[in-house]
Coordinates of all heavy atoms in Angstrom, one line a residue:
R115 N 111.1 105.4 71.2 CA 111.1 105.9 69.8 C 109.7 105.4 69.2 O 109.0 106.0 68.5 CB 112.2 105.6 69.0 CG 112.2 106.0 67.6 CD 113.5 106.0 66.9 NE 114.5 107.0 67.6 CZ 115.7 107.3 67.2 NH1 116.2 106.5 66.2 NH2 116.3 108.1 67.8
Q116 N 109.5 104.1 69.3 CA 108.2 103.5 68.8 C 107.0 104.2 69.5 O 106.0 104.5 68.8 CB 108.2 102.0 69.1 CG 107.1 101.3 68.5 CD 107.4 101.0 66.9 OE1 108.2 100.2 66.6 NE2 106.5 101.7 66.0
L117 N 107.0 104.3 70.8 CA 105.9 105.0 71.4 C 105.7 106.4 71.0 O 104.6 106.9 70.8 CB 106.1 104.9 72.9 CG 106.0 103.3 73.5 CD1 106.5 103.5 74.9 CD2 104.6 102.8 73.3
A118 N 106.7 107.0 70.8 CA 106.7 108.5 70.4 C 106.0 108.7 69.0 O 105.2 109.6 68.8 CB 108.1 109.1 70.4
A119 N 106.3 107.7 68.2 CA 105.7 107.8 66.8 C 104.1 107.6 66.8 O 103.4 108.1 66.0 CB 106.2 106.7 66.0
Y120 N 103.7 106.9 68.0 CA 102.2 106.8 68.2 C 101.5 108.1 68.6 O 100.2 108.0 68.7 CB 102.0 105.6 69.2 CG 102.5 104.3 68.8 CD1 102.7 103.3 69.7 CD2 102.8 104.0 67.4 CE1 103.2 102.0 69.3 CE2 103.3 102.8 67.1 CZ 103.4 101.7 68.0 OH 104.0 100.5 67.7
G121 N 102.2 109.1 68.9 CA 101.5 110.3 69.2 C 100.7 110.9 68.1 O 99.8 111.6 68.1
S122 N 101.1 110.4 66.8 CA 100.4 111.0 65.6 C 99.9 110.0 64.7 O 99.3 110.2 63.6 CB 101.5 111.9 64.8 OG 102.6 111.1 64.5
R123 N 99.9 108.6 65.2 CA 99.3 107.6 64.4 C 98.9 106.4 65.3 O 99.5 106.3 66.5 CB 100.2 107.1 63.2 CG 101.4 106.4 63.8 CD 102.1 105.7 62.5 NE 103.3 104.9 62.9 CZ 104.6 105.2 62.9 NH1 104.8 106.6 62.5 NH2 105.5 104.5 63.3
G124 N 98.0 105.6 64.9 CA 97.5 104.5 65.6 C 96.5 104.8 66.6 O 95.9 106.0 66.7
N125 N 96.2 103.9 67.6 CA 95.2 104.0 68.6 C 95.7 104.2 70.0 O 94.8 104.2 71.0 CB 94.3 102.8 68.5 CG 95.0 101.6 68.9 OD1 96.2 101.5 69.2 ND2 94.3 100.4 68.8
L126 N 97.0 104.4 70.3 CA 97.5 104.6 71.6 C 96.9 105.7 72.3 O 96.5 105.6 73.5 CB 99.1 104.5 71.7 CG 99.6 104.7 73.1 CD1 99.2 103.6 74.0 CD2 101.2 104.7 73.0
V127 N 96.8 106.8 71.5 CA 96.2 108.1 72.2 C 94.8 107.7 72.8 O 94.5 108.1 73.9 CB 96.2 109.3 71.3 CG1 95.3 110.4 71.8 CG2 97.6 109.8 71.1
A128 N 94.0 107.2 71.9 CA 92.6 106.8 72.3 C 92.5 105.8 73.5 O 91.8 106.0 74.4 CB 91.8 106.2 71.2
L129 N 93.5 104.9 73.5 CA 93.6 103.9 74.5 C 94.0 104.6 75.8 O 93.3 104.5 77.0 CB 94.6 102.8 74.2 CG 94.1 101.8 73.2 CD1 95.4 101.0 72.6 CD2 93.2 100.7 73.9
L130 N 95.0 105.5 75.9 CA 95.4 106.1 77.1 C 94.4 107.1 77.6 O 94.1 107.2 78.7 CB 96.6 107.0 76.8 CG 97.9 106.2 76.6 CD1 99.1 107.1 76.3 CD2 98.1 105.1 77.6

Side-chain angles (χ1 to χ4, degrees):
R115 179 163 293 181
Q116 186 78 67
L117 295 169
Y120 296 159
S122 55
R123 68 170 183 262
N125 61 1
L126 181 57
V127 168
L129 285 159
L130 296 180

